[in-house]
Amino acid sequence: MKDLKLYALISVSMLLSLASRAQNPIVQTWFTPDPAPMVYNDTVFLFTDHDEDDAQYFKMKDWQLYSTTDMVNWTYRGTPISTATFPWAKQGDNAWAAQAVERNGKFYWYVCAEDTVPHVHGIGVAVADAPEGPYRDPLQRPLVPGAWGYIDPSIFIDDDDRAYLFWGNNGLWYARLNDDMISLATEVRPVEGLNDEKAFGPLKMKYDYAEGREKLKTNYEEGPWVFKRGGLYYLVYAAGGVPEHLAYSTSPSIDGPWTYAGRIMDEAEASFTIHAGSIEYHGRNFMFYHNGNLPNGGGFRRSTCVEEFAFNADGSIPFIPFTKEGVRTPVRNLNPYQRVEAETMAASYGLKTDRRAGSEHYLTSIHNGDWLRLRAVDFGSEGTARFMASVAAISEGGSIELRLDNLGGDIIGELPVRPTGGTDRWQEQATSMKSVQGVHDLYFLFKGGDDELFRVDYWQFLKHE
């Protein structure tokens, strides 16, 4: 019976695998809206919000962190901060969009959360010595006290080392920061031209929450993302009201005037919101956004996606269509002969990661028929001899089956997982396997009984000696 069940699961999983050859959404273990990528030390760190699995409205308790060095395989780096990090914030489900930046060896994570007084969102900041933390709130109060529309902070450091913070929904404000990155050097100022269609696009009637009435406003809605290229400032934002699309404006100065430059993405699939984040990495440009396309996804359960694009010759951003494939060519191949964290993957089915802060994380919620995929794994020309994984298990009967290129591909080995004495007692276990050369996609297919099988911390292949 178990074999029949497994074969059925494999058949279903193979169908899912065909879809999962798409890179989007790039994280499939949790819902990860409002992506905020940052390049540091040749690594892309992705700071995200976290929609709860059972959310029926904006139910967001904490923020998560991921990283990659190849743009196709993403590693979970933990859940470093939550509303509990900020004593001034209403505790629970209001951990909204955020962005982080590194400066002088410290990491500053700017968030919006509901202030307990006056019960509207304000902008806070947490500081750490490493991207994964630990983070602390140095102010013990909001950096920018709460007011209507004070959400979605975007941090930008200019060529002259001056730092600026932009934010706003149905309004757009900014201020320069002091060198300490945790205090304002100027007063809060509205961005000029917000009601000028030449600056931010076509005018339309929108509800003004501050005034409590419909009002003629421009295209700008929320979610600013500020960067600079070739001496020109770019402001990408969610536009058009609900449902939102992505648009952008440009300026020769951080203080404006801004000029509307057009639509760059359509309304997100299965989501009435969208949120941009743009980086350059290894000479290639990537635009991040979110949609509601994961199973059980939707407008309040959103997931990060990414598309590669190239600027036009005149510096303009082209229209970027949504794709299932996402990033087609990795920046580099994955080396399986060094330790790889088990929470690294390009796609997955049925799996979760822990929900902890710190630097130690693991793969969990592993059941019969669950799987993960890794892209562009380079086994080289010498061939492999053994596979090792650090696992924790209470009972026997579970295993990790290794397959090449797809879930129905060649089985190159299987690691039976022996009991270790508990789900918090880790042990390296190994098995021999077929020799593999070249670059392949690699699938882990988890097999066993009906209950949760085991946890996995990391894995590694060993070469022929």
Side-chain angles (χ1 to χ4, degrees):
M1 180 64 70
K2 285 183 179 178
D3 287 343
L4 290 175
K5 180 180 179 182
L6 179 61
Y7 292 144
L9 283 167
I10 290 175
S11 298
V12 173
S13 295
M14 288 177 67
L15 292 175
L16 289 168
S17 181
L18 293 175
S20 75
R21 288 187 175 277
Q23 188 67 38
N24 288 323
I26 62 174
V27 175
Q28 299 175 8
T29 48
W30 299 107
F31 293 112
T32 54
D34 301 329
M38 176 190 76
V39 179
Y40 174 73
N41 276 358
D42 199 35
T43 298
V44 177
F45 290 93
L46 178 65
F47 298 79
T48 75
D49 304 348
H50 174 205
D51 288 336
E52 296 292 331
D53 289 355
D54 61 351
Q56 300 299 317
Y57 185 63
F58 294 115
K59 187 178 181 182
M60 308 161 74
K61 300 179 179 180
D62 46 32
W63 294 267
Q64 295 187 334
L65 178 64
Y66 298 83
S67 70
T68 186
T69 56
D70 58 25
M71 288 303 297
V72 295
N73 298 300
W74 291 86
T75 302
Y76 172 71
R77 303 295 292 269
T79 303
I81 61 174
S82 69
T83 53
T85 306
F86 306 95
W88 52 269
K90 174 186 173 184
Q91 300 305 294
D93 57 357
N94 65 106
W96 288 11
Q99 187 183 345
V101 70
E102 181 273 337
R103 186 169 191 177
N104 298 326
K106 290 190 178 296
F107 297 84
Y108 300 87
W109 199 337
Y110 298 88
V111 307
C112 59
E114 186 176 332
D115 197 345
T116 53
V117 179
H119 301 291
V120 290
H121 277 75
I123 309 298
V125 57
V127 184
D129 295 324
E132 66 271 19
Y135 283 87
R136 63 183 180 87
D137 179 356
L139 299 177
Q140 303 289 293
R141 57 176 173 77
L143 169 61
V144 183
W148 281 109
Y150 276 28
I151 66 171
D152 298 356
S154 179
I155 181 67
F156 167 73
I157 301 177
D158 209 342
D159 299 334
D160 60 5
D161 286 334
R162 291 187 173 187
Y164 297 86
L165 193 64
F166 286 72
W167 67 91
N169 168 284
N170 276 295
L172 181 57
W173 299 270
Y174 76 118
R176 183 164 63 85
L177 298 177
N178 286 311
D179 291 342
D180 62 10
M181 301 293 285
I182 60 171
S183 61
L184 301 185
T186 66
E187 72 281 2
V188 172
R189 293 173 285 184
V191 171
E192 297 295 331
L194 207 62
N195 291 323
D196 181 354
E197 60 183 355
K198 293 181 180 179
F200 288 97
L203 297 171
K204 65 181 297 184
M205 294 299 294
K206 295 183 183 179
Y207 189 79
D208 189 308
Y209 289 94
E211 297 187 15
R213 64 184 179 90
E214 289 282 324
K215 186 177 179 181
L216 195 63
K217 292 187 175 182
T218 53
N219 209 31
Y220 175 87
E221 182 71 16
E222 60 183 353
W225 183 271
V226 182
F227 65 95
K228 188 178 184 181
R229 181 179 183 271
L232 189 66
Y233 296 85
Y234 293 75
L235 177 59
V236 180
Y237 47 88
V242 176
E244 300 170 342
H245 64 272
L246 284 185
Y248 79 112
S249 300
T250 62
S251 173
S253 165
I254 193 68
D255 297 309
W258 295 94
T259 300
Y260 179 64
R263 174 188 289 242
I264 56 176
M265 273 188 172
D266 282 335
E267 291 77 9
E269 296 171 328
S271 172
F272 58 88
T273 63
I274 195 167
H275 191 107
S278 179
I279 57 167
E280 180 181 339
Y281 184 56
H282 280 253
R284 297 162 61 180
N285 296 286
F286 302 93
M287 184 68 72
F288 292 74
Y289 62 100
H290 68 230
N291 67 24
N293 277 351
L294 275 189
N296 194 40
F300 301 115
R301 295 179 299 277
R302 303 153 295 171
S303 300
T304 290
C305 302
V306 62
E307 308 290 352
E308 186 169 1
F309 73 98
F311 285 89
N312 294 320
D314 62 359
S316 61
I317 302 175
F319 179 80
I320 305 170
F322 301 132
T323 70
K324 302 297 184 185
E325 294 80 12
V327 177
R328 290 175 171 82
T329 306
V331 168
R332 55 170 65 88
N333 294 329
L334 188 148
N335 180 4
Y337 301 113
Q338 63 186 14
R339 170 172 164 161
V340 179
E341 300 303 318
E343 57 276 12
T344 300
M345 61 196 83
S348 66
Y349 173 75
L351 304 172
K352 291 290 187 183
T353 53
D354 64 74
R355 199 165 167 175
R356 307 190 305 175
S359 58
E360 298 296 326
H361 304 287
Y362 54 84
L363 194 64
T364 187
S365 189
I366 300 173
H367 295 83
N368 185 42
D370 291 348
W371 52 263
L372 67 82
R373 173 195 179 205
L374 296 130
R375 285 183 61 187
V377 180
D378 189 354
F379 291 98
S381 59
E382 298 177 31
T384 54
R386 293 178 68 77
F387 170 78
M388 178 275 294
S390 175
V391 295
I394 294 177
S395 58
E396 59 186 343
S399 67
I400 305 172
E401 190 174 83
L402 306 172
R403 291 176 176 254
L404 288 187
D405 299 320
N406 58 72
L407 276 175
D410 292 341
I411 300 173
I412 59 172
E414 184 170 359
L415 174 66
V417 176
R418 302 183 303 274
T420 63
T423 55
D424 59 350
R425 300 190 66 176
W426 299 96
Q427 184 181 96
E428 290 185 352
Q429 299 182 12
T431 186
S432 59
M433 55 173 293
K434 294 180 181 178
S435 183
V436 180
Q437 296 85 33
V439 179
H440 297 271
D441 283 4
L442 175 66
Y443 283 79
F444 289 13
L445 176 62
F446 301 100
K447 299 166 57 178
D450 294 335
D451 297 327
E452 187 170 350
L453 301 177
F454 44 79
R455 294 175 176 177
V456 189
D457 186 5
Y458 57 87
W459 56 268
Q460 185 174 347
F461 284 87
L462 305 173
K463 294 181 179 180
H464 284 292
E465 295 182 356

